[in-house]
């Protein structure tokens, strides 16, 4: 029998049931799910198995690659610098990174990097995944490129380039790597069990990701499209996340390692309008910038209809009908993991798993859990 561990508040028993159903059916292999409301852990669940053969249990301290939830942490790092007055969202990137002005990018602004509208959603070919592991060199290549579309005119999801672009700004302003900066200012103060990349000491408790069976196939895309350029700049498969090179790298777009609890511990201050357990992390006005809509429409890379604010997606019922309208910021990781930051309810929902689904954003499992959370809150309000 697959075991589900942890606790839920009385009104959230249906959430436990939803998770148990997915484990029982075999749709879920291993996972963690966490719901924080104003600093109270209303849902803290973990269970299943950490391996595809289902021989090792998913423990309380099991961690895994959370894919693009990493971008949400990277965005928060940038917002810290905005809050401190060191980074102006509407300033040209070249103010802080002069080389970025090359090839017609002198007017690209910081907000364009944070909203996937910069025109630099990957490396010009030829590109290999190994190229991204040298973070400074890859960032320099991105700075030298011409944009692949008119910056600011549309979003083109920065699949793997996001961490290099935002991370270079962090490096230019602080002299620290993105990995070190997030550890010092986000991970350590919150006590979160999270890192960009993975330490050798943590290898024994990592759950390998279980690929969805079908990777992105760029050959089906037109060679002149932004999507083709992005998915071949460089090409990579989900299995890369289980390799030593990926785990050792600093990929601020995609190789964060943690679990639902640690993701929530880092991101919950956004939902609490800046308040953190160790004091105020950000001013409410800075949090409000998240909701400055930067683009709305079909993304040039992933093909989803999206609304992008500063650093986070905003509710869009066409794409994620199970996330309600309101002051909500969110994003997910490839295969289904999700982080939902609900300012109206001061609530953070975080879901992390090892078995990847085939959806681009979210999954049926994520939808079931998040729907159950909101239904539980609705029942309590009546």
């Amino acid at each position: 029998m697959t075991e589900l561990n942890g606790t839920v508040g009385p009104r959230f028993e249906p959430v436990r049931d939803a998770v148990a159903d997915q484990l029982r059916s075999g749709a879920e292999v291993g996972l963690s799910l966490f719901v924080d409301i104003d600093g109270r852990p209303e849902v803290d669940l973990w269970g299943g198995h950490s391996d595809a053969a289902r021989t090792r249990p998913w423990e309380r301290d099991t961690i895994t690659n959370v894919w693009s939830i990493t971008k949400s942490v990277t965005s928060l790092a940038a917002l810290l610098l905005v809050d401190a007055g060191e980074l102006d969202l509407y300033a040209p990137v070249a103010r802080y990174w002069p080389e970025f002005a090359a090839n017609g990018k002198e007017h690209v602004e910081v907000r364009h990097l944070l909203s996937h509208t910069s025109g630099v959603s990957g490396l010009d070919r030829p590109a290999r995944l190994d190229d991204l592991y040298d973070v400074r060199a890859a960032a320099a290549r991105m700075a030298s490129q011409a944009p692949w579309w008119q910056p600011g005119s549309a979003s083109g999801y920065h699949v793997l380039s996001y961490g290099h672009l935002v991370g270079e700004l962090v490096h230019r302003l602080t002299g620290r790597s993105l990995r070190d900066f997030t550890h010092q200012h986000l991970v350590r103060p919150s006590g979160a069990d999270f890192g960009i990349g993975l330490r050798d000491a943590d290898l024994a408790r990592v759950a390998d990701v279980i690929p969805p069976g079908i990777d992105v196939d760029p050959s089906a895309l037109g060679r002149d499209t932004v999507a083709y350029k992005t998915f071949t700049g460089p090409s990579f498969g989900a299995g890369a996340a289980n390799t030593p090179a990926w785990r050792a790298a600093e990929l601020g777009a995609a190789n964060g390692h943690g679990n639902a609890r640690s993701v929530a511990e880092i991101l919950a201050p956004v939902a609490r309008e800046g308040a953190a357990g160790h004091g105020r992390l950000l001013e409410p006005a800075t949090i409000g910038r998240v909701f400055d809509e930067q683009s709305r429409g079909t993304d040039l890379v992933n093909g989803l209809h999206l609304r992008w604010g500063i650093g986070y997606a905003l509710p869009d019922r066409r794409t994620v009908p199970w996330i309600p309208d309101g002051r909500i910021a969110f994003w997910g990781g490839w295969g289904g993991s999700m982080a939902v930051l609900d300012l109206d309810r001061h609530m953070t929902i975080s879901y992390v798993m090892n078995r990847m689904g085939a959806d681009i954003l979210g999954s049926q499992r994520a939808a079931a859990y998040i729907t159950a959370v909101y239904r539980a809150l609705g029942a309590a309000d009546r």
Side-chain angles (χ1 to χ4, degrees):
M1 182 176 179
T2 301
E3 189 172 2
L4 179 59
N5 303 288
T7 60
V8 298
R11 58 181 168 168
F12 291 100
E13 284 294 342
V15 178
R16 184 200 294 273
D17 294 341
V19 175
D21 287 346
Q22 296 293 331
L23 283 169
R24 244 188 323 265
S25 73
E28 198 78 81
V29 175
L31 83 152
S32 55
L33 178 69
F34 197 92
V35 178
D36 171 281
I37 301 180
D38 254 334
R40 301 185 308 275
E42 296 285 359
V43 175
D44 185 5
L45 295 172
W46 65 92
H49 296 90
S50 62
D51 61 327
R54 304 179 195 250
T55 62
R56 293 186 289 114
W58 183 295
E59 307 283 4
R60 188 178 191 273
D61 69 344
T62 296
I63 57 176
T64 193
N65 191 90
V66 302
W67 293 108
S68 287
I69 285 180
T70 315
K71 293 180 175 73
S72 298
V73 177
T74 295
S75 298
L76 185 53
L79 288 176
L80 290 180
L81 296 173
V82 172
D83 196 73
E86 298 178 31
L87 184 63
D88 183 346
L89 291 168
Y90 286 82
V93 174
R95 175 186 296 180
Y96 312 102
W97 181 5
E99 298 89 338
F100 193 82
N103 273 314
K105 300 194 304 301
E106 63 272 14
H107 300 302
V108 176
E109 299 176 6
V110 172
R111 63 191 175 102
H112 297 140
L113 300 188
L114 286 163
S115 60
H116 303 265
T117 64
S118 75
V120 187
S121 54
L123 285 173
D124 280 339
R125 295 191 306 278
R128 302 175 307 153
L129 186 57
D130 287 356
D131 294 336
L132 295 179
Y133 298 156
D134 187 337
V135 176
R136 301 274 83 78
R141 281 181 60 179
M142 293 172 194
S144 70
Q145 295 178 192
W148 290 342
W149 70 94
Q150 180 62 41
S153 64
S155 72
Y157 188 51
H158 293 16
V159 179
L160 292 180
S161 64
Y162 192 86
H164 293 75
L165 296 170
V166 178
E168 186 65 19
L169 286 179
V170 170
H171 177 67
R172 296 282 172 137
L173 285 166
T174 70
R176 302 178 70 90
S177 69
L178 177 65
R179 173 158 41 199
D180 289 347
F181 183 83
T182 56
H183 182 78
Q184 179 181 357
H185 294 283
L186 294 173
V187 173
R188 187 184 296 164
S190 66
D193 184 8
F194 185 91
I196 295 178
L198 185 69
R199 301 179 308 166
D200 288 345
D202 295 324
L203 281 171
R205 60 193 183 94
V206 170
D208 285 354
V209 302
I210 304 171
I214 301 175
D215 278 321
V216 176
D217 181 11
S219 66
L221 303 169
R223 289 179 173 267
D224 292 331
T225 64
V226 171
Y228 180 84
K229 293 176 181 178
T230 302
F231 288 122
T232 57
S235 300
F236 72 104
N242 298 328
T243 65
W246 176 282
R247 288 170 168 171
E250 179 193 306
L251 303 177
N255 83 332
H257 284 74
N259 51 39
R261 183 186 308 103
S262 62
V263 167
E265 286 169 340
I266 291 174
L267 297 180
V270 177
R272 299 182 208 144
E273 301 189 68
H278 54 280
R280 179 160 291 281
L281 184 69
L282 297 170
E283 292 301 319
T286 303
I287 298 293
R289 305 302 292 275
V290 167
F291 298 97
D292 291 346
E293 186 177 293
Q294 299 299 304
S295 69
R296 180 195 294 249
T298 301
D299 188 272
L300 298 175
V301 172
N302 60 34
L304 298 176
H305 192 280
L306 295 171
R307 294 173 59 222
W308 280 108
I310 301 287
Y312 302 85
L314 308 179
D316 187 325
R317 291 301 188 100
R318 295 193 220 184
T319 300
V320 278
W322 33 274
I323 293 181
D325 296 327
R327 290 191 306 156
I328 296 175
F330 75 93
W331 195 239
W334 187 16
S337 58
M338 292 294 296
V340 179
L341 313 173
D342 187 329
L343 279 72
D344 292 328
R345 298 166 182 84
H346 285 194
M347 176 174 69
T348 300
I349 306 171
S350 176
Y351 161 58
V352 168
M353 77 295 143
N354 55 357
R355 184 180 187 181
M356 298 171 62
D359 301 273
I360 296 173
L361 177 62
S363 66
Q364 291 183 346
R365 286 169 275 157
Y369 306 152
I370 291 171
T371 298
V373 169
Y374 277 104
R375 282 179 178 166
L377 288 174
D381 292 340
R382 287 196 293 270

